[in-house]
Amino acid sequence: MKTALTGIKPTGVPHIGNYMGAIRPALELTRDYRCFYFIADYHALNFIRDPKELKQNCYEVAATWLACGLDPAQSAIYRQSQVPETFELSTILMCFTAKGLMNRAHAYKAMLQTNRELGRVPDDGVNMGLFTYPVLMAADIMLFCADVVPVGRDQAQHIEMAQDIAQAFNYVYGCELLKVPQPLIREQTQTVTGLDGRKMSKSYGNTILLFLPPKQLRKQVMRIVTNSQVVEEPKDPDTCNVFAIYKLFATEDERNALAERYRAGGMGWGDAKQTLFEKMNDVLTPYRERYDAFMADKPAIDRILADGAEQVRPQAASLLAKLRKAVGIV
Ligand code: ADP
Ligand code: TRP
């Protein structure tokens, strides 16, 4: 059986983009793969400096996985921080990672660019955790010899870097000690658009959160930006943010029916948004109820995550033993 692995960093409440781009495709793999799904809490430490917030975010991400259908009896779910072998592997990988490779990371380059534009020194606000973020991510992946990593498009470069690092290591020791991972990026959900039509992202403030109560969900949906066409005009579903999100939730018949109403004219944006809200609310309500139940029992989440870590650590330890031997560290 092949292995699938992915992580979500607990930097905020999960949104529709996280669900469609990462969580749902990852859960679909649980039938055919051994799955390792974790909360990348040390990755989040680069961004969240309020301990209470970091802790709360971890529960939210864990509860999201569980509410969306992850079964801990079938797939492993754990906190990255509870698998300390990750950090030893990360230290090993650092020695095989070219600094130039890290210089090319999109997130780092974007920070340099912003600093340049603001007239600051280039590395202003860049710490080593951020600079070496892709190495820690490579360690997460290679620790469990993952074959595939289900992620959204924005993570493609990080997976390529993990491949480069694995290959550099394997080349030195002349055999495939580290599995070279493959990204799994779904065509339809590689980039879910947000309220303003850009990629939905916490950093753009354009998200629709997954588990909002119905009233707030409706309010968010009503904020989706549309053009200024009037009710009577026929509309193009393929260029519309509302339809783009509807497509992710609806069946093919429902999609075709709404597309017809767009093209026929006579449907205003308010109507389209109401249709989207009702569909989303139908799909998300059972998840929301499970989510609320998990969030009301944090000790249960702690137990599930600790059990998950305990279950996977022996495999991590055995890989590390092999690597230590290979590199000559007793
Ligand atoms: P954000 O951009 O909101 O900070 P994260 O970086 O925490 O989101 O992403 C967690 C996972 O969700 C990653 O696998 C990422 O690729 C996926 N993801 C995030 N936003 C989107 C989106 N708009 N469309 C598709 N996948 C996404
Ligand atoms: N970097 C990912 C993100 O920002 C989170 C992550 C950390 C991850 N480690 C991983 C994803 C390992 C896949 C595999 O969303």
Side-chain angles (χ1 to χ4, degrees):
M1 216 181 195
K2 292 203 164 184
T3 297
L5 174 145
T6 199
I8 295 193
K9 58 180 191 306
T11 46
V13 188
H15 55 74
I16 305 293
N18 300 142
Y19 175 65
M20 292 292 176
I23 298 173
R24 191 171 73 175
L27 291 174
E28 281 166 11
L29 297 177
T30 57
R31 283 187 301 266
D32 306 316
Y33 288 77
R34 278 187 74 208
C35 294
F36 294 76
Y37 296 148
F38 67 97
I39 299 141
D41 46 2
Y42 270 121
H43 276 110
L45 186 57
N46 286 301
F47 309 93
I48 309 285
R49 296 298 166 80
D50 174 344
K52 280 208 193 94
E53 190 185 343
L54 184 54
K55 211 168 166 185
Q56 174 71 6
N57 289 348
C58 283
Y59 285 119
E60 280 163 0
V61 173
T64 299
W65 276 113
L66 295 165
C68 292
L70 187 139
D71 173 5
Q74 185 192 28
S75 309
I77 176 164
Y78 53 91
R79 286 189 174 94
Q80 177 190 45
S81 56
Q82 288 181 319
V83 183
E85 290 78 7
T86 309
F87 312 105
E88 184 174 348
L89 179 55
S90 183
T91 299
I92 298 176
L93 297 182
M94 292 278 184
C95 305
F96 297 84
T97 304
K99 175 175 175 285
L101 185 68
M102 297 297 98
N103 287 343
R104 290 196 288 279
H106 297 320
Y108 172 62
K109 279 170 68 179
M111 288 194 74
L112 293 188
Q113 178 67 20
T114 308
N115 284 336
R116 225 173 277 126
E117 282 164 15
L118 297 173
R120 298 181 184 141
V121 293
D123 277 328
D124 195 82
V126 179
N127 60 52
M128 290 308 288
L130 199 80
F131 187 65
T132 61
Y133 182 107
V135 186
L136 181 55
M137 179 159 161
D140 294 330
I141 297 170
M142 283 176 277
L143 191 61
F144 296 109
C145 310
D147 294 284
V148 297
V149 185
V151 281
R153 164 71 49 203
D154 60 341
Q155 294 299 311
Q157 192 199 32
H158 286 152
I159 314 288
E160 281 163 25
M161 291 178 157
Q163 293 173 334
D164 284 354
I165 297 170
Q167 278 156 352
F169 185 88
N170 290 342
Y171 179 77
V172 171
Y173 297 101
C175 59
E176 208 194 309
L177 286 161
L178 295 175
K179 171 73 73 46
V180 179
Q182 299 302 322
L184 192 83
I185 299 171
R186 293 284 167 93
E187 196 62 43
Q188 312 87 314
T189 54
Q190 52 177 309
T191 310
V192 175
T193 50
L195 295 176
D196 55 0
R198 289 188 297 168
K199 178 200 161 212
M200 185 180 290
S201 172
K202 276 162 264 183
S203 23
Y204 296 150
N206 63 355
T207 59
I208 302 179
L209 302 183
L210 259 181
F211 299 121
L212 289 175
K215 241 180 147 167
Q216 286 181 38
L217 176 62
R218 185 168 184 281
K219 224 165 138 185
Q220 289 266 286
V221 168
M222 292 297 160
R223 285 182 47 213
I224 298 175
V225 177
T226 45
N227 64 24
S228 55
Q229 283 182 297
V230 295
V231 175
E232 295 73 31
E233 281 179 86
K235 300 177 177 62
D236 179 7
D238 298 325
T239 54
C240 172
N241 291 334
V242 179
F243 193 78
I245 300 176
Y246 185 78
K247 271 200 312 206
L248 302 169
F249 285 90
T251 63
E252 202 183 334
D253 285 350
E254 289 167 333
R255 279 201 295 269
N256 292 338
L258 186 62
E260 269 307 298
R261 288 178 62 204
Y262 267 72
R263 295 194 184 102
M267 182 188 63
W269 293 127
D271 251 4
K273 290 178 184 178
Q274 179 66 24
T275 308
L276 170 62
F277 159 69
E278 285 168 14
K279 184 72 220 168
M280 286 178 78
N281 195 43
D282 277 356
V283 173
L284 296 175
T285 294
Y287 294 163
R288 185 194 302 126
E289 285 166 1
R290 285 203 294 268
Y291 175 82
D292 291 341
F294 277 113
M295 287 304 283
D297 189 359
K298 290 186 181 138
I301 300 183
D302 283 331
R303 274 194 304 278
I304 292 171
L305 296 177
D307 285 353
E310 205 173 301
Q311 191 189 316
V312 300
R313 284 189 65 192
Q315 181 179 340
S318 108
L319 178 79
L320 273 172
K322 204 165 106 183
L323 297 181
R324 279 200 213 111
K325 193 162 165 227
V327 303
I329 304 247
V330 245

